[in-house]
Amino acid sequence: MRSIAIINQKGGVGKTTTAVNLSAALAAAGHKVCLLDLDPQAHASLHLGIALSDSERSIYDVLIGNAAVSEIVQEVTDNLSLIPSHLDLAAAELELASEVGREVILRDKLALETNDFDFMLIDCPPSLGVLTLNALTAVNEVFLPLQPHFLALHGLSKLLQTIDLVTQRLNSNLMLSGVVLCMYDSGTRLAAEVSADVREFFARQTVSKGAWANARTFDTRIRRNIRLAEAPSFGQSIFDYAPQSHGAEDYRQLAREVCGLSSARASIASAAAA
Ligand SMILES: Nc1ncnc2c1ncn2[C@@H]1O[C@H](COP(=O)(O)OP(=O)(O)OP(=O)(O)O)[C@@H](O)[C@H]1O
Ligand SMILES: [Mg+2]
């Protein structure tokens, strides 16, 4: 199983949109996918049409020991399952603060029950608190969505430092594997310039031995597309809401890239099929 945390402590950069639609694209391509919503805002759950009532149990109950993952996981489609969140999760940061081994709780709970999946994706909150640390400890890979505007790299050193500390102390398997450029305004000079800066920044890191030494920027850029912003209010992934949109096209392409199928091979395959 590949397990991937989607993190950036900056808000509104495209974490949830990427977590939901990449999960849906991987599921549509035949992989068994589990999406874990680890954000108290529960946006990923709502995006997939799942709003828990106050009496239903969520990932919060798993973290505090009131439920097993198998009791709360929901099947969204044949290949896509969701571990839902609820606003209750906001309390977890405080409640877990005094627990011994608080950063490894999620890893231990997931280890028991998620072996049947090909992919586990975790949508993280916009902070580097105990929830995000739990995600980083439970996965092997980090994807970093960035919005290509002039502050894109601001705050990145804190995030990379956090990943490095987790690698040293809690999870030696962790690797920042990919930067996803989201809300890309193709045709603007700013987007092109910032993308070049981001590529250069990560290219420079290859000389270091840090957890991000192998990070690359995905060739697939997620273009700004209004359909992606509309889909959550219908409780649908982009593939159900607007399957022909640029948004659907881009996340389908990202899924191919994530699976290691290069864009060149993909276009040869689609040309051969046509
Ligand atoms: N490619 C895109 N084109 C247009 N709108 C987008 C795109 N990606 C995301 N959005 C919209 O931008 C907003 C922020 O995106 P999203 O919720 O995915 O960010 P986030 O990083 O998860 O935010 P938070 O930090 O609050 O969790 C949402 O309204 C979303 O619908
Ligand atoms: Mg989000």
Side-chain angles (χ1 to χ4, degrees):
M1 181 177 77
R2 278 177 73 181
S3 50
I4 302 163
I6 302 189
I7 75 168
N8 191 333
Q9 80 272 34
K10 201 173 281 190
V13 295
K15 292 182 289 295
T16 302
T17 307
T18 298
V20 168
N21 293 306
L22 179 57
S23 295
L26 290 166
H31 303 285
K32 284 195 83 61
V33 183
C34 182
L35 172 61
L36 164 50
D37 187 353
L38 199 57
D39 184 350
Q41 299 180 99
H43 286 168
S45 308
L46 295 171
H47 198 324
L48 288 172
I50 292 174
L52 297 186
S53 68
D54 287 345
S55 61
E56 285 176 290
R57 291 180 298 175
S58 71
I59 185 63
Y60 167 74
D61 297 274
V62 173
L63 290 175
I64 63 162
N66 269 353
V69 171
S70 59
E71 295 175 290
I72 62 152
V73 66
Q74 301 198 20
E75 209 164 279
V76 180
T77 63
D78 275 353
N79 279 339
L80 178 59
S81 296
L82 173 78
I83 301 177
S85 178
H86 183 272
L87 193 56
D88 285 347
L89 188 59
E93 295 269 355
L94 273 180
E95 288 175 28
L96 299 179
S98 56
E99 288 265 327
V100 175
R102 59 189 174 275
E103 294 93 355
V104 301
I105 298 173
L106 184 66
R107 180 186 70 191
D108 292 350
K109 305 278 181 189
L110 293 178
L112 300 172
E113 306 192 54
T114 51
N115 283 335
D116 293 343
F117 295 103
D118 302 315
F119 284 91
M120 153 81 64
L121 272 73
I122 305 184
D123 183 30
C124 292
S127 79
L128 295 174
V130 75
L131 292 171
T132 298
L133 289 177
N134 264 277
L136 291 175
T137 307
V139 299
N140 297 329
E141 291 178 63
V142 173
F143 285 3
L144 172 68
L146 284 182
Q147 207 184 333
H149 61 57
F150 81 106
L151 285 175
L153 292 169
H154 186 82
L156 212 57
S157 56
K158 173 80 185 151
L159 188 142
L160 296 176
Q161 213 178 10
T162 304
I163 294 175
D164 220 19
L165 281 175
V166 171
T167 314
Q168 286 166 29
R169 297 183 185 164
L170 295 160
N171 179 8
S172 58
N173 294 323
L174 188 66
M175 203 176 67
L176 171 56
S177 43
V179 176
V180 188
L181 294 172
C182 292
M183 289 180 251
Y184 193 87
D185 292 308
S186 32
T188 68
R189 227 174 71 193
L190 181 66
E193 281 173 9
V194 175
S195 305
D197 286 352
V198 169
R199 268 178 209 282
E200 199 184 305
F201 175 85
F202 283 100
R204 274 201 310 265
Q205 311 303 318
T206 52
V207 293
S208 80
K209 290 195 169 49
W212 59 87
N214 295 314
R216 57 186 291 261
T217 307
F218 285 112
D219 292 334
T220 309
R221 293 162 178 163
I222 310 300
R223 287 167 284 185
R224 188 180 289 283
N225 179 239
I226 189 68
R227 299 282 175 246
L228 286 168
E230 291 167 354
S233 49
F234 294 87
Q236 292 178 329
S237 81
I238 193 66
F239 305 103
D240 290 325
Y241 178 66
Q244 309 299 333
S245 61
H246 280 169
E249 201 180 296
D250 292 348
Y251 278 107
R252 229 178 260 125
Q253 182 64 22
L254 181 64
R256 283 191 207 109
E257 207 181 339
V258 167
C259 291
L261 198 65
S262 72
S263 38
R265 269 177 60 198
S267 57
I268 291 166
S270 64

Coordinates of all heavy atoms in Angstrom, one line a residue, residues 216-248:
R216 N 10.1 16.0 -6.3 CA 10.0 16.6 -7.6 C 8.7 17.3 -7.8 O 7.7 17.0 -7.0 CB 10.1 15.5 -8.7 CG 9.0 14.4 -8.5 CD 9.3 13.2 -9.5 NE 9.1 13.7 -10.8 CZ 7.9 13.5 -11.5 NH1 6.9 12.8 -11.0 NH2 7.8 13.9 -12.7
T217 N 8.6 18.2 -8.7 CA 7.4 18.9 -9.0 C 6.7 18.0 -10.1 O 7.3 17.7 -11.1 CB 7.6 20.3 -9.5 OG1 8.5 20.9 -8.6 CG2 6.3 21.1 -9.6
F218 N 5.4 17.6 -9.8 CA 4.7 16.8 -10.8 C 4.6 17.7 -12.1 O 4.4 18.9 -12.1 CB 3.3 16.5 -10.3 CG 3.4 15.4 -9.3 CD1 3.0 15.6 -8.0 CD2 3.7 14.1 -9.6 CE1 3.0 14.6 -7.0 CE2 3.8 13.1 -8.7 CZ 3.4 13.3 -7.4
D219 N 4.8 17.0 -13.2 CA 4.6 17.7 -14.5 C 3.1 18.1 -14.7 O 2.9 19.2 -15.3 CB 4.9 16.7 -15.7 CG 6.4 16.4 -15.7 OD1 7.2 17.2 -15.3 OD2 6.7 15.3 -16.2
T220 N 2.2 17.4 -14.2 CA 0.8 17.8 -14.2 C 0.5 19.0 -13.4 O 0.9 18.9 -12.2 CB -0.1 16.6 -13.7 OG1 0.3 15.4 -14.4 CG2 -1.6 16.9 -14.0
R221 N 0.0 20.0 -14.0 CA -0.4 21.2 -13.2 C -1.9 21.2 -13.1 O -2.6 20.9 -14.1 CB 0.1 22.4 -13.8 CG 1.6 22.5 -13.8 CD 2.0 23.6 -14.8 NE 3.4 23.7 -14.8 CZ 4.1 24.3 -15.7 NH1 3.5 24.7 -16.8 NH2 5.4 24.4 -15.6
I222 N -2.5 21.5 -11.9 CA -3.9 21.5 -11.8 C -4.3 23.0 -12.1 O -4.1 23.9 -11.4 CB -4.4 21.2 -10.4 CG1 -3.7 19.8 -9.9 CG2 -5.9 21.1 -10.3 CD1 -4.1 18.6 -10.8
R223 N -5.0 23.1 -13.3 CA -5.3 24.5 -13.7 C -6.5 25.0 -12.9 O -7.3 24.2 -12.3 CB -5.8 24.4 -15.2 CG -4.7 24.3 -16.2 CD -5.2 23.9 -17.5 NE -5.7 22.5 -17.6 CZ -6.1 21.9 -18.7 NH1 -6.1 22.6 -19.8 NH2 -6.5 20.7 -18.7
R224 N -6.6 26.3 -12.7 CA -7.7 26.9 -12.1 C -9.0 26.6 -12.9 O -9.0 26.8 -14.1 CB -7.5 28.4 -12.0 CG -8.6 29.1 -11.1 CD -8.3 30.6 -11.1 NE -7.1 30.9 -10.3 CZ -7.1 30.9 -8.9 NH1 -8.2 30.6 -8.2 NH2 -6.0 31.3 -8.3
N225 N -9.9 26.0 -12.3 CA -11.1 25.6 -13.0 C -12.3 25.7 -12.1 O -12.4 25.0 -11.0 CB -10.9 24.1 -13.5 CG -12.1 23.6 -14.2 OD1 -12.7 22.6 -13.8 ND2 -12.5 24.2 -15.3
I226 N -13.3 26.5 -12.5 CA -14.5 26.8 -11.6 C -15.2 25.5 -11.2 O -15.8 25.4 -10.2 CB -15.4 27.8 -12.3 CG1 -16.5 28.3 -11.3 CG2 -16.0 27.3 -13.6 CD1 -15.9 29.1 -10.2
R227 N -15.2 24.5 -12.1 CA -15.9 23.2 -11.8 C -15.4 22.6 -10.5 O -16.1 22.0 -9.8 CB -15.8 22.3 -13.0 CG -16.5 22.8 -14.2 CD -18.0 22.7 -14.2 NE -18.6 23.3 -15.4 CZ -19.3 24.4 -15.4 NH1 -19.6 25.0 -14.2 NH2 -19.8 24.8 -16.5
L228 N -14.1 22.7 -10.3 CA -13.5 22.1 -9.1 C -14.0 22.8 -7.9 O -14.1 22.2 -6.8 CB -11.9 22.2 -9.2 CG -11.2 21.3 -10.2 CD1 -9.8 21.7 -10.4 CD2 -11.3 19.8 -9.6
A229 N -14.2 24.1 -8.0 CA -14.7 24.9 -6.8 C -16.2 24.6 -6.6 O -16.7 24.7 -5.5 CB -14.5 26.4 -7.1
E230 N -16.9 24.3 -7.7 CA -18.4 24.0 -7.5 C -18.7 22.6 -7.0 O -19.7 22.4 -6.3 CB -19.1 24.2 -8.9 CG -19.1 25.6 -9.4 CD -19.5 25.7 -10.9 OE1 -19.6 24.6 -11.6 OE2 -19.6 26.8 -11.4
A231 N -17.8 21.7 -7.4 CA -18.2 20.2 -7.1 C -18.5 20.0 -5.6 O -19.4 19.2 -5.3 CB -17.0 19.3 -7.6
P232 N -17.7 20.6 -4.6 CA -17.9 20.2 -3.2 C -19.4 20.5 -2.8 O -20.0 19.8 -2.0 CB -17.0 21.1 -2.4 CG -15.9 21.5 -3.4 CD -16.5 21.5 -4.7
S233 N -20.0 21.6 -3.3 CA -21.3 21.9 -2.8 C -22.4 20.9 -3.3 O -23.5 20.9 -2.8 CB -21.7 23.3 -3.1 OG -21.4 23.6 -4.4
F234 N -22.0 20.1 -4.3 CA -22.9 19.0 -4.7 C -22.5 17.7 -4.1 O -23.1 16.6 -4.4 CB -22.9 18.9 -6.3 CG -23.4 20.2 -6.9 CD1 -22.6 21.3 -7.2 CD2 -24.8 20.2 -7.2 CE1 -23.1 22.4 -7.7 CE2 -25.3 21.4 -7.8 CZ -24.5 22.5 -8.0
G235 N -21.5 17.7 -3.2 CA -21.1 16.4 -2.6 C -20.6 15.4 -3.5 O -20.7 14.2 -3.4
Q236 N -19.9 15.9 -4.6 CA -19.5 15.0 -5.6 C -18.0 15.3 -6.0 O -17.6 16.4 -5.9 CB -20.3 15.2 -6.9 CG -21.7 14.8 -6.8 CD -22.5 15.1 -8.1 OE1 -22.2 16.0 -8.8 NE2 -23.5 14.2 -8.4
S237 N -17.3 14.2 -6.4 CA -16.0 14.4 -6.9 C -16.1 15.1 -8.3 O -17.2 15.0 -8.9 CB -15.2 13.1 -7.0 OG -15.6 12.4 -8.2
I238 N -15.0 15.6 -8.8 CA -15.1 16.2 -10.1 C -15.5 15.2 -11.2 O -16.1 15.6 -12.2 CB -13.7 16.9 -10.5 CG1 -13.9 17.9 -11.7 CG2 -12.6 15.9 -10.7 CD1 -14.7 19.1 -11.5
F239 N -15.3 14.0 -11.0 CA -15.6 13.0 -12.0 C -17.1 12.7 -12.1 O -17.6 12.3 -13.2 CB -14.8 11.7 -11.8 CG -13.3 12.0 -11.8 CD1 -12.7 12.0 -10.5 CD2 -12.6 12.4 -12.9 CE1 -11.3 12.4 -10.5 CE2 -11.3 12.7 -12.9 CZ -10.6 12.7 -11.6
D240 N -17.8 12.9 -11.0 CA -19.2 12.8 -11.1 C -19.9 14.1 -11.5 O -20.9 14.2 -12.1 CB -19.8 12.3 -9.7 CG -19.4 10.9 -9.4 OD1 -19.4 10.1 -10.4 OD2 -19.1 10.6 -8.2
Y241 N -19.3 15.2 -11.0 CA -19.9 16.5 -11.2 C -19.7 17.0 -12.6 O -20.6 17.5 -13.3 CB -19.3 17.5 -10.2 CG -19.9 18.9 -10.4 CD1 -21.2 19.2 -10.2 CD2 -19.1 19.9 -10.8 CE1 -21.8 20.4 -10.4 CE2 -19.6 21.2 -11.0 CZ -20.9 21.4 -10.8 OH -21.5 22.7 -11.0
A242 N -18.4 17.0 -13.1 CA -18.1 17.5 -14.4 C -17.0 16.7 -15.1 O -15.8 17.2 -15.1 CB -17.7 19.0 -14.3
P243 N -17.3 15.5 -15.5 CA -16.2 14.6 -16.0 C -15.5 15.1 -17.2 O -14.3 14.6 -17.5 CB -17.0 13.3 -16.3 CG -18.4 13.6 -16.4 CD -18.6 14.9 -15.5
Q244 N -16.0 16.0 -18.0 CA -15.3 16.5 -19.2 C -14.5 17.8 -18.9 O -13.9 18.3 -19.8 CB -16.3 16.8 -20.3 CG -17.3 15.7 -20.6 CD -16.7 14.5 -21.1 OE1 -15.6 14.5 -21.6 NE2 -17.3 13.3 -20.8
S245 N -14.6 18.3 -17.6 CA -13.9 19.6 -17.4 C -12.4 19.5 -17.4 O -11.8 18.4 -17.3 CB -14.4 20.1 -16.0 OG -14.0 19.1 -15.0
H246 N -11.7 20.6 -17.4 CA -10.3 20.6 -17.3 C -9.9 20.1 -15.9 O -8.8 19.4 -15.8 CB -9.8 22.1 -17.4 CG -9.7 22.6 -18.8 ND1 -9.4 23.9 -19.1 CD2 -9.7 22.0 -19.9 CE1 -9.4 24.1 -20.4 NE2 -9.6 22.9 -20.9
G247 N -10.7 20.3 -14.9 CA -10.4 19.8 -13.6 C -10.3 18.3 -13.6 O -9.4 17.7 -13.0
A248 N -11.3 17.7 -14.2 CA -11.3 16.2 -14.2 C -10.1 15.7 -15.0 O -9.4 14.8 -14.6 CB -12.6 15.7 -14.9

